[in-house]
Amino acid sequence: EPEVTQTPSHQVTQMGQEVILRCVPISNHLYFYWYRQILGQKVEFLVSFYNNEISEKSEIFDDQFSVERPDGSNFTLKIRSTKLEDSAMYFCASSSAGPRSSYNSPLHFGNGTRLTVT
Amino acid sequence: AQSVTQLDSHVSVSEGTPVLLRCNYSSSYSPSLFWYVQHPNKGLQLLLKYTSAATLVKGINGFEAEFKKSETSFHLTKPSAHMSDAAEYFCVVSDRTGGSYIPTFGRGTSLIVHP
């Protein structure tokens, strides 16, 4: 069964550094998402992406964050100037139908990248 | 606005006994509802989904959930727990808020299964 893959599984970085989290969505999916889960807290929506542009974003997704689909397979989340509070598990997801579709397709998630900012 | 409440942060059962994980939702429209499971160091796996068809939904690994509009609930059940069911379970609601479906997660329920 096709799956979403995320790399690295664990990333440690120093405060103020930039990190790039990478995701390879399921190949025939067109809609991509990033969520994060701070330890002990709920899974929070960050951003959705379709047709090479952001379709929705949350209040968390400020100018510190950006997403990109640099080629036909990868989907990346960049965090500039990381802060201690960015430490979390970051999940990438993809789906075959998008946020504005009348048919609500479930999201398929990767295993996550645990980001630790020291 | 949509929201979801998982009423228990932890549920502890003995192997072979029934499982009940509770979920209540708030939605302005007819929602889609999902349950996901997260095993340690693994991603989020879809257990089952409700998208306005049959109100009793069967999923993988013997789990099922019943959509009850009058109670705004979507509780997850399983007749007999296995040790391998020990994991974190998330109830997710998605409705057309502001023109988009953005799934919203509950806080999660940790299922503990004792031998």
Side-chain angles (χ1 to χ4, degrees), chain A residues 5-83:
Chain A
T5 56
Q6 289 185 243
T7 55
S9 57
H10 193 185
Q11 173 90 44
V12 181
T13 189
Q14 289 188 328
M15 196 167 48
Q17 297 296 306
E18 175 182 285
V19 294
I20 297 176
L21 309 183
R22 303 180 190 281
C23 171
V24 179
I26 293 173
S27 61
N28 64 345
H29 285 183
L30 300 175
Y31 302 88
F32 315 117
Y33 304 78
W34 283 101
Y35 281 77
R36 79 172 185 190
Q37 183 182 28
I38 296 172
L39 186 64
Q41 298 186 25
K42 64 191 304 182
V43 178
E44 302 170 293
F45 168 74
L46 292 178
V47 65
S48 62
F49 189 88
Y50 169 69
N51 198 26
N52 285 321
E53 62 181 26
I54 291 172
S55 53
E56 301 286 344
K57 63 181 181 178
S58 72
E59 292 177 352
I60 302 167
F61 194 88
D62 59 19
D63 292 341
Q64 182 194 9
F65 295 90
S66 62
V67 289
E68 192 176 39
R69 190 157 163 82
D71 52 42
S73 60
N74 289 285
F75 177 52
T76 62
L77 174 68
K78 182 188 289 186
I79 310 175
R80 285 180 283 275
S81 188
T82 50
K83 303 183 287 246

Side-chain angles (χ1 to χ4, degrees), chain A residues 33 35 37 40-43 45 48 56 89 91 98-112, chain B residues 4 32 34 36 38 41-46 49 51 88 90 94-96 98-107:
Chain A
Y33 304 78
Y35 281 77
Q37 183 182 28
Q41 298 186 25
K42 64 191 304 182
V43 178
F45 168 74
S48 62
E56 301 286 344
M89 181 72 89
F91 291 105
R100 294 180 182 269
S101 171
S102 60
Y103 169 65
N104 197 8
S105 177
L107 272 57
H108 297 259
F109 286 87
N111 285 348
Chain B
V4 58
S32 294
F34 309 85
Y36 284 84
Q38 184 183 26
N41 301 314
K42 297 289 186 182
L44 295 154
Q45 181 185 17
L46 180 68
K49 63 180 181 180
T51 54
E88 190 84 11
F90 294 95
S94 182
D95 72 13
R96 193 174 176 85
S100 298
Y101 292 93
I102 299 296
T104 298
F105 279 70
R107 288 192 172 274

Side-chain angles (χ1 to χ4, degrees), chain B residues 2-114:
Chain B
Q2 61 188 20
S3 66
V4 58
T5 301
Q6 290 184 245
L7 296 156
D8 306 293
S9 59
H10 296 85
V11 169
S12 183
V13 301
S14 297
E15 191 176 21
T17 63
V19 175
L20 170 64
L21 304 183
R22 297 183 293 168
C23 172
N24 286 92
Y25 69 91
S26 172
S27 172
S28 303
Y29 301 92
S30 296
S32 294
L33 292 152
F34 309 85
W35 276 98
Y36 284 84
V37 61
Q38 184 183 26
H39 288 93
N41 301 314
K42 297 289 186 182
L44 295 154
Q45 181 185 17
L46 180 68
L47 273 180
L48 48 79
K49 63 180 181 180
Y50 165 77
T51 54
S52 76
T55 56
L56 182 62
V57 181
K58 294 188 184 299
I60 62 172
N61 301 335
F63 285 94
E64 60 183 38
E66 185 171 7
F67 174 71
K68 291 187 177 180
K69 186 175 182 179
S70 60
E71 298 176 10
T72 61
S73 70
F74 190 57
H75 301 334
L76 182 70
T77 60
K78 183 173 180 178
S80 175
H82 295 156
M83 295 297 292
S84 59
D85 294 328
E88 190 84 11
Y89 291 81
F90 294 95
C91 182
V92 178
V93 64
S94 182
D95 72 13
R96 193 174 176 85
T97 302
S100 298
Y101 292 93
I102 299 296
T104 298
F105 279 70
R107 288 192 172 274
T109 298
S110 179
L111 177 63
I112 301 161
V113 183
H114 298 287

